[in-house]
Amino acid sequence: MTANKLADSQLVTLPMLIDGKAVPAADSGRTFDSVDPASQMPWARVPDGDVADVDAAVAAARAALTGPWSQTTGFGRARVLRRIAELVMRDIDHLAGLEARDSGRLLRDAEAQITFVADWFQYFAGLAETVTGQTIPTDHLDMLVYTEAVPVGVVGAIVPWNAPLLLLAWKVAPALAAGCTIVVKPSDYTPATALALGPILAEAGVPDGAYNVVTGFGPAVGQAITAHPGVNKVAFTGSTATGIAVGKSAVTNLTRVTLELGGKSAQLVFEDADPEAALNGVINGIFIGTGQTCIAGSRLLVHESLHDELVAGLIARAKAIRIGSPTDTNTQMGPLVNGIQHAAVLEHIAVARRQGATLACGGGIPEGLTGWYVEPTIFTDVHPEMDIAQKEVFGPVLAVMKFRTEEEAIELANNTKFGLAAGIWSQNVHRAHRVARALRAGTVWVNTYRAYSPAAPFGGFGHSGIGRENGLEVMRAYSETKTVWVETAGATRDPFSIR
Ligand code: NAD
């Protein structure tokens, strides 16, 4: 799969993290290589874990759960989380460099994501201090009834390769805030930053065993986490197919699950849109991160009156995108993460052509570059039932469709099994709200795209997932509600009557 190889001595060794210790794979001692997508060269050697490592990590997480971490109050956890945020910012250059090398993400985008990581820990520090139970009024004069949020327990966090540290922070920050402990399985393509977070958490005061990282492959490590009886909740981000397998496996132990899955998000450009703003938003929606984002605005639905002008503008902008090394500050689009993804994206392009979509620009491999690059690609004359309009490509490929009426636009937008995100471009405030209400998507952006906050819930309808991350809402996913009834009259009740 790789074009060249570094000498073994030049590879960085990245041990996994179990119970505060840097360790190799317990049973096999086997390793695999992490590959730099821009050079196609292995750069790091990582333990190839299995069930034995997951067992050890879960045991460590359970011990930390009932041990030191359970003795830390919400206020104490908040102090630790704020310190993590500071340390993440202190180490931003190191973390962003690792992320860019491992995933091929642009260095400046990786830096921006690391600042988000710090924001997430700051925000959840606040929630660690403020999330409370409730006192429940009931029909019983002589009962005090209240609820408590109890940590759900050991969390298995399984993450993909496209935004490795940020998507991990979306799980680790609320889990720690709620008092949980964690076993992480990073993607085998991008294990570096999950491992680099370990020493930061330890320095901030997270006890040994509360954050463990088991590296390896999905069918071994990921599957072992989802099926483990000692794991109370699985927080998964990845593809829909894997998410369904994760859900099936977790349910055998009634393990709680949240699933953040794929998408085929639509950008709807109405005739009353600001054309320049819409053009910019569509470019951002599909080409940032080389299209490897779950919320990629991979379907453009445009009013027929704007179609030709908008498509011409998009083609001009797409052709001008500077493709190259993720670490070059001039680069606007880097490589895809690996050879498998590269081949898959090219196959999606070939299928779209075979099915009759018109290739308006791109579609090939840019010349003169070594990594897994694909040109920014735009298809027009797309029929809503074509694969390119229905299947997640996870690459820089835009499918353009025309509509005549608002109803038609809504119908087209809702015409996939997914429901992660959507963008509406219209200067008519009535229409913007009307369409936002009609769209079946977990996030709807109006006259913007790809805005995030740790305070704003994020997740999908339909095949885009189950549950929400971020915001106050996610704290429920990391806790169990306990209801406590206290009899205050000191009376004895009729044992044979419910009242
Ligand atoms: P993937 O499903 O192949 O892998 C995700 C993770 O699951 C990896 O760590 C992988 O090793 C692990 N895994 C694989 N098989 C497993 C199994 N049987 N049991 C448990 N774990 C297993 O996804 P990917 O290719 O790494 O990431 C791309 C996908 O992620 C896209 O579909 C994208 O839309 C989705 N994604 C969704 C969101 C969101 O928030 N909704 C965000 C980013 C990415």
Side-chain angles (χ1 to χ4, degrees), residues 8 11-12 14 78 216-217 272 277 288 328 339 361 435 445 449 465 489:
D8 282 3
L11 294 179
V12 176
L14 298 175
F217 293 88
D272 47 25
I288 195 173
D328 182 338
C361 77
V435 176
W445 287 290
Y449 204 75

Side-chain angles (χ1 to χ4, degrees), residues 158-163 167 170 185-189 216-219 221-224 226 236-243 245-246 259-263 293-295 341 392 394 420 458-460 464 469:
I158 303 177
V159 284
W161 44 261
N162 64 318
L167 294 172
W170 287 20
K185 188 240 171 283
S187 168
D188 34 293
Y189 296 111
F217 293 88
V221 175
Q223 160 65 22
T226 60
F236 174 82
T237 301
S239 63
T240 296
T242 310
V246 164
L259 302 173
E260 295 288 347
L261 309 177
T293 64
C294 54
I295 47 114
Q341 190 64 17
E392 184 180 48
F394 226 58
L420 194 57
F458 180 90
S464 289
E469 294 199 300

Side-chain angles (χ1 to χ4, degrees), residues 73-334:
T73 63
F75 278 63
R77 297 197 297 272
R79 280 192 289 276
V80 171
L81 289 170
R82 290 200 178 95
R83 184 77 184 120
I84 295 170
E86 288 167 9
L87 296 175
V88 164
M89 288 311 293
R90 180 196 69 187
D91 291 353
I92 185 168
D93 292 345
H94 174 58
L95 293 169
L98 283 178
E99 197 85 319
R101 189 156 202 200
D102 228 10
S103 72
R105 183 164 281 279
L106 296 192
L107 185 58
R108 65 176 189 278
D109 193 25
E111 283 165 1
Q113 292 209 355
I114 305 300
T115 65
F116 268 10
V117 170
D119 290 350
W120 254 254
F121 282 101
Q122 286 286 4
Y123 174 78
F124 283 101
L127 291 193
E129 292 168 329
T130 51
V131 167
T132 59
Q134 287 180 303
T135 312
I136 310 288
T138 69
D139 203 16
H140 301 264
L141 196 58
D142 56 355
M143 298 278 186
L144 169 66
V145 185
Y146 62 90
T147 61
E148 283 183 327
V150 178
V152 70
V154 172
V155 172
I158 303 177
V159 284
W161 44 261
N162 64 318
L165 191 58
L166 183 59
L167 294 172
L168 183 59
W170 287 20
K171 296 164 179 57
V172 173
L176 289 178
C180 299
T181 58
I182 304 152
V183 176
V184 177
K185 188 240 171 283
S187 168
D188 34 293
Y189 296 111
T190 54
T193 44
L195 292 165
L197 189 62
I200 290 176
L201 267 53
E203 187 179 341
V206 175
D208 287 353
Y211 176 83
N212 307 275
V213 183
V214 183
T215 51
F217 293 88
V221 175
Q223 160 65 22
I225 289 174
T226 60
H228 203 294
V231 172
N232 303 98
K233 178 210 158 59
V234 172
F236 174 82
T237 301
S239 63
T240 296
T242 310
I244 291 169
V246 164
K248 283 182 180 166
S249 172
V251 82
T252 52
N253 290 311
L254 296 179
T255 303
R256 279 70 176 130
V257 185
T258 43
L259 302 173
E260 295 288 347
L261 309 177
K264 192 75 198 174
S265 300
Q267 296 244 43
L268 295 78
V269 181
F270 289 93
E271 62 275 28
D272 47 25
D274 171 343
E276 207 35 54
L279 173 61
N280 208 51
V282 173
I283 292 285
N284 164 271
I286 186 61
F287 295 130
I288 195 173
T290 319
Q292 301 168 112
T293 64
C294 54
I295 47 114
S298 52
R299 291 182 300 147
L300 168 61
L301 314 179
V302 53
H303 189 265
E304 58 181 0
S305 64
L306 276 186
H307 177 273
D308 293 356
E309 184 195 336
L310 186 59
V311 168
L314 288 168
I315 292 171
R317 288 282 292 271
K319 284 185 171 167
I321 288 175
R322 293 188 295 274
I323 304 171
S325 163
T327 51
D328 182 338
T329 49
N330 281 318
T331 299
Q332 294 173 320
M333 220 178 82

